[in-house]
Each structure stands twice: as structure tokens, then as C-alpha cells.
Amino acid sequence: MKRGKKEAGKSEPASYKTAFLESCLSAKVLTFGHYTLKSGRQSPYFFNAGLFHRADLLRSISTAYARSILDFIAHTPLSIDVLFGPSYKGIPLATATVDKLAELDPDRFASVSYSFNRKEAKDHGEGGNIVGAPLRGKRVLIVDDVITVGMVMREAIDIIRKEGGELVGVIVALDRMEKMPGGAADDDGTPRSSAIGEVKRVYGVPVLSIITLDDIIVLLRGRESEDDMKD
């Protein structure tokens, strides 16, 4: 009987992270193979947040977002007025997470709103680019699935600033831990940062994630160890 060893320096994910990962695997939101990402890079896995359309799966991801936010603010002060979901995938993620935060901590989050952008400005009725809460003077947290090359994130941040909002942070479902495009290092020899690290550096805000690539590795290694012990 073989016994698996926990990889050095990598601790077990929190229980809500493990539950979220299990949901991703069972619903094939997270799959493994050979994929080409939006950035043009090749990846051995693919994360498709668009598959969280079923009620139980949407509840799973909104709970994981909410728990991640609550974990962070338990140690670091962060005031949030609006959760902003960049269209299109971010829209259901932000709205469901607002509801879950209010359920888990109504004293703090019952008055938090959601907001999202239109792809094209509306020229009739109330008009404008924003649906939901106005952003002017509000502290805004972006909710999205992943950051690959950061283009969608930069667009969302530009919208928030143009609307008079204050960006206070970003949360994504998965941190791919990928380096920015280019070589392993900049011209001066400095290692290239990840897409998430670049957002942190440029905008000076925290970027949270439900899970990271390391969490996926730890879970899969744990599954291998369980299978070895059964053999």
C-alpha cells in the first residue's frame, strides 16, 4: 500500500474551497486536456465559469466568493458598497454573491448593491452604460471568473473610474498563477509578474481568489493518495 505525501509548503485548502473545487470537477467546470486560452497560450486545464448556470452550482460559487470575501475582511479592513460584474460572465457572479453575502452577514452586507456594464450604451430610457447601482462615490469590488491577460479587467476598472466609483479590490474564482506574456524575465532580469500580480501592482488594490492553481494541485494529489491507499 502506497502512502501519499503532502507537497512541501502547500497546505490543505479551507473546507469551502475544497467543496467548490469538488463542484467544479463534478460539473466539468474544471477539465483537463489541451486547450488554447484567450491569451493564445496553451493550457493543460480549462475553467469554464459559464457552466455555473444550474441553481446548485450557482449557489456553490456564490458561497465560495462570499466566504473568500469574509475571510479576507476578517483580517484586513475592506469596505464595500457595490459588487461589480463585468459583462457578461461577471453579471450572475456579482448578483448571486451580493445575495449570499447578505445571507451570511446581514448586519454588514444587507445594503450592499450590485452593478454591471452594458456592452453598448443605452440611448433611450434611463440611458447610460451601467445597470444596477450607480457607481459615483461608491467603493467597488469587481467579481469575475479569471484574469488571463487582464484586458477585461482593465476595461472594467476604466468603466468604474469613469462612472466616479472607487475601486477597492477584485475577486476571481481561479488564480491561474500564470506569468504575463513574454519571456521568463523583463529586460532588466526582473521575473515577470502574474496577471493578478500586475493588477495589484498597477492599481494598488487587493486581488482575491477562491482557489489557485496550487489548490488544484493539492486536491488532485490528495485524490491520488486516497486511490493509492485503496490499492
Side-chain angles (χ1 to χ4, degrees):
M1 179 176 67
K2 299 177 183 178
R3 293 186 180 274
K5 294 181 180 179
K6 185 187 297 185
E7 194 166 348
K10 294 181 180 177
S11 59
E12 293 292 332
S15 59
Y16 71 85
K17 293 176 181 281
T18 301
F20 174 67
L21 268 169
E22 294 287 0
S23 294
C24 292
L25 292 169
S26 64
K28 301 190 184 307
V29 172
L30 177 64
T31 54
F32 300 91
H34 300 284
Y35 302 98
T36 301
L37 304 178
K38 185 185 295 185
S39 62
R41 291 183 176 183
Q42 300 299 305
S43 174
Y45 66 94
F46 185 65
F47 181 81
N48 184 3
L51 295 180
F52 280 100
H53 51 73
R54 208 172 65 203
D56 59 331
L57 296 175
L58 185 60
R59 188 179 305 117
S60 171
I61 193 170
S62 64
T63 298
Y65 274 124
R67 291 287 184 193
S68 299
I69 293 168
L70 291 173
D71 273 3
F72 181 80
I73 64 177
H75 307 287
T76 307
L78 182 67
S79 297
I80 305 165
D81 300 312
V82 178
L83 266 58
F84 182 85
S87 61
Y88 290 105
K89 284 185 180 178
I91 296 172
L93 303 179
T95 54
T97 302
V98 163
D99 179 63
K100 183 55 67 172
L101 281 169
E103 176 188 323
L104 294 175
D105 192 344
D107 290 342
R108 195 179 320 195
F109 291 103
S111 297
V112 171
S113 300
Y114 72 83
S115 185
F116 59 89
N117 62 298
R118 294 186 175 97
K119 285 292 188 181
E120 296 182 1
K122 187 177 178 183
D123 59 4
H124 60 280
E126 77 278 14
N129 290 302
I130 300 299
V131 180
L135 301 181
R136 184 164 300 279
K138 302 298 184 182
R139 295 161 295 193
V140 183
L141 178 74
I142 295 175
V143 183
D144 210 354
D145 55 349
V146 296
I147 301 176
T148 303
V149 294
M151 182 174 65
V152 172
M153 192 58 58
R154 287 193 295 272
E155 290 175 354
I157 293 170
D158 286 346
I159 289 169
I160 291 166
R161 289 180 168 178
K162 287 177 182 176
E163 294 291 328
E166 176 193 355
L167 179 71
V168 297
V170 177
I171 184 167
V172 295
L174 172 63
D175 177 0
R176 296 180 183 276
M177 304 177 74
E178 291 182 340
K179 300 300 182 184
M180 293 294 288
D186 291 328
D187 293 339
D188 62 359
T190 304
R192 290 187 184 274
S193 65
S194 66
I196 280 182
E198 191 68 5
V199 172
K200 290 179 181 178
R201 183 186 69 81
V202 173
Y203 299 102
V205 297
V207 182
L208 322 179
S209 65
I210 299 173
I211 55 173
T212 67
L213 178 59
D214 281 346
D215 293 327
I216 295 173
I217 292 170
V218 168
L219 178 66
L220 294 179
R221 287 188 183 278
R223 285 187 165 194
E224 288 175 359
S225 298
E226 290 176 5
D227 290 342
D228 287 342
M229 293 178 73
K230 291 175 183 176
D231 290 341

